[in-house]
Amino acid sequence: MKTVLKTSALALALAMTASACSGESSANGGQANGPVVADTSQNWVETVEKTEEGGFRMGNPDAAIRIVEYGSLTCPHCADFAEQSFNPLVENYISQGTVSFEMRNFVRDPLDLAAALLARCNGAAPFFQLNERLFANQAAMITQVQGAGEARLQQIAQSSDPVLGYAEAAGLIPLVGGMGISETQARQCLADQDLVGELETLRNTALSEYNLSGTPTFLINGQVASGVVTWPQLEARIQEMVQ
């Protein structure tokens, strides 16, 4: 991902410390195509699949309300959304078969790329657990990278493998090691150019199809949800649609 790998240490620091990573959405979320009826015929929380678009979706693929988040693992607003939304979204909506939730990475910087590669390292089944673990540790990993100092960050940025360098500086390899990803596997995923290409495609699609200007950005039934950047705003929109 050329636009990511060439990011300088200074630009990375600015990206990670920026107070705002959200952009204004430009369209209204789509409505449900029919009545929103619960379907508890199976455990939708354990139904996690990789989509054709390259994201990971939890829940009923035929849910009346299909939510997609374009998010960044180094975006503070995305971390806030993850912390506030995960339990109520899973317990009140996904488990009922009325809502599906798909996460599509929108990579902003080299540390974000490293984290996204590791979240995808073991495929669909553990993706959301890894994603939540990385969001929960966002502040710590950013602090750890910044604590490495400008000279070390410049050295990493100019190295032959900056993604690995940022992952090591942030302590990401031992972090995911407690979730079934060995050090060897983590290093392989961080060097996987096919995975890098998938993330580049996700980013390019977000820019070209949705004119994405910040994270988090949400799609509801295929349309960008205007004015929705927090969990209370998204839940309010869900409630409007289920009534």
Side-chain angles (χ1 to χ4, degrees):
M1 190 179 296
K2 295 179 181 178
T3 57
V4 173
L5 295 183
K6 290 185 178 179
T7 302
S8 69
L10 178 58
L12 172 63
L14 290 173
M16 294 193 300
T17 56
S19 60
C21 46
S22 300
E24 279 296 319
S25 301
S26 57
N28 293 322
Q31 297 300 308
N33 294 325
V36 179
V37 179
D39 174 5
T40 56
S41 61
Q42 59 184 286
N43 188 342
W44 295 116
V45 178
E46 294 184 357
T47 304
V48 180
E49 300 173 319
K50 188 173 184 179
T51 67
E52 291 182 1
E53 293 77 11
F56 288 92
R57 179 184 59 222
M58 178 191 294
N60 179 1
D62 298 317
I65 302 171
R66 300 176 303 281
I67 296 169
V68 173
E69 176 189 358
Y70 277 101
S72 160
L73 287 163
T74 56
C75 167
H77 296 300
C78 299
D80 289 342
F81 174 80
E83 180 182 8
Q84 296 169 15
S85 70
F86 190 75
N87 288 336
L89 183 59
V90 167
E91 294 171 6
N92 300 332
Y93 302 105
I94 294 175
S95 67
Q96 300 303 301
T98 55
V99 173
S100 66
F101 180 81
E102 180 181 346
M103 176 69 178
R104 298 180 189 172
N105 298 93
F106 183 82
V107 172
R108 304 188 310 142
D109 54 67
L111 178 58
D112 191 6
L113 175 58
L117 289 169
L118 292 173
R120 292 167 166 263
C121 195
N122 261 349
F127 172 80
F128 282 99
Q129 288 180 315
L130 285 162
N131 205 58
E132 293 306 300
R133 179 75 172 269
L134 288 161
F135 271 132
N137 285 272
Q138 182 190 94
M141 70 183 187
I142 290 174
T143 298
Q144 194 162 334
V145 168
Q146 292 172 336
E150 179 65 16
R152 174 58 179 151
L153 293 180
Q154 290 287 359
Q155 183 182 37
I156 291 172
Q158 295 167 11
S159 70
S160 61
D161 195 349
V163 176
L164 175 60
Y166 283 114
E168 291 176 333
L172 293 185
I173 294 175
L175 178 66
V176 300
M179 302 192 72
I181 298 177
S182 68
E183 179 176 350
T184 298
Q185 185 181 6
R187 292 178 181 275
Q188 289 172 342
C189 289
L190 290 166
D192 189 329
Q193 293 305 300
D194 289 336
L195 285 178
V196 172
E198 289 180 8
L199 290 164
E200 182 175 31
T201 297
L202 276 173
R203 179 183 173 87
N204 290 340
T205 299
L207 293 170
S208 63
E209 292 191 11
Y210 302 110
N211 194 29
L212 189 145
S213 59
T215 54
T217 292
F218 297 95
L219 310 182
I220 301 178
N221 291 349
Q223 296 183 30
V224 177
S226 176
V228 175
V229 293
T230 68
W231 167 240
Q233 291 168 341
L234 180 59
E235 185 170 34
R237 191 67 58 86
I238 293 170
Q239 286 295 313
E240 290 174 3
M241 296 175 70
V242 300
Q243 292 177 358

